Amino acid sequence: MNRRTVHNNLFQLSTRQDWPTPRHKIRRGNFPYIFKITEDFTYQTDWQLEADFIAEWLEISKNGLITVKANKSGYSWDGCTPKLSILNLWVIGVPDGHVNYRTMRPYTYDASLVHDALYQYLDSVPIARSEIDRLFLQMLGDFKLRKLYYLAVRLFGGWHVVQKGIH
């Protein structure tokens, strides 16, 4: 494959219009994004899909490899929700945990990233909400409040979202 073919293929990928679109959620108030990745983040699951799921910000391969895409602008999210910014000085809401000395990021960082990206496509992703929430619990690792956070996403996450083709 020559350089021109590679460039054309990359251009076609970057201009695709047939990707599943993220759920459009209108948020009132000042909801801060507090984290941002500038490089793609991957996480291997034991999920087996019939086909790859490819969207602008999220990809799940048939063998269960999740990729949250940074794209050109980076992927931003608000950690564990809800959060509210007060006068652009303070952020109050669900804590993300203190910094884990192993990763130098808050305990919930990776789990909230993957969970937010999957929930962004909740109406079209080929994974049941219950499985997404279980992955969140698993990714929280040894975070002390993991079961409480899991219960919160089970009870309050994805209200009124109909998952297409999921039983």
Side-chain angles (χ1 to χ4, degrees):
M1 204 180 315
N2 65 30
R3 282 181 120 179
R4 181 177 295 277
T5 304
V6 170
H7 180 275
N8 287 342
N9 288 344
L10 288 173
F11 178 76
Q12 287 172 347
L13 281 175
S14 69
T15 58
R16 273 182 73 167
Q17 300 300 315
D18 60 339
W19 281 331
T21 55
R23 286 185 309 116
H24 180 68
K25 186 175 179 183
I26 298 173
R27 296 167 63 163
R28 291 183 172 81
N30 191 1
F31 294 93
Y33 290 114
I34 60 174
F35 300 121
K36 181 178 182 176
I37 58 169
T38 56
E39 295 180 3
D40 291 355
F41 175 86
T42 60
Y43 186 83
Q44 183 65 54
T45 69
D46 59 359
W47 297 340
Q48 296 295 312
L49 305 181
E50 292 180 16
D52 292 337
F53 177 84
I54 301 172
E56 183 177 6
W57 297 101
L58 176 70
E59 188 170 322
I60 309 171
S61 68
K62 287 186 206 178
N63 69 352
L65 180 66
I66 296 173
T67 304
V68 180
K69 301 176 188 178
N71 293 332
K72 290 179 183 176
S73 60
Y75 184 85
S76 299
W77 76 106
D78 57 1
C80 293
T81 4
K83 287 192 176 41
L84 181 64
S85 175
I86 307 285
L87 303 173
N88 292 351
L89 294 173
W90 302 281
V91 175
I92 62 169
V94 177
D96 293 294
H98 68 79
V99 173
N100 181 338
Y101 73 92
R102 288 169 256 167
T103 63
M104 297 311 295
R105 296 187 298 235
Y107 267 94
T108 63
Y109 184 91
D110 293 346
S112 67
L113 165 62
V114 171
H115 195 260
D116 277 17
L118 288 165
Y119 262 54
Q120 187 175 354
Y121 293 96
L122 190 58
D123 59 350
S124 58
V125 73
I127 306 295
R129 181 179 153 250
S130 59
E131 287 299 311
I132 294 169
D133 293 345
R134 265 194 286 278
L135 177 64
F136 177 70
L137 176 64
Q138 174 191 337
M139 290 183 72
L140 286 173
D142 59 352
F143 179 56
K144 301 290 186 218
L145 297 175
R146 66 194 286 265
K147 290 182 181 176
L148 179 63
Y149 279 46
Y150 170 73
L151 181 62
V153 299
R154 287 302 301 145
L155 292 175
F156 303 112
W159 277 5
H160 307 295
V161 176
V162 176
Q163 287 194 280
K164 301 170 189 161
I166 302 292
H167 305 289

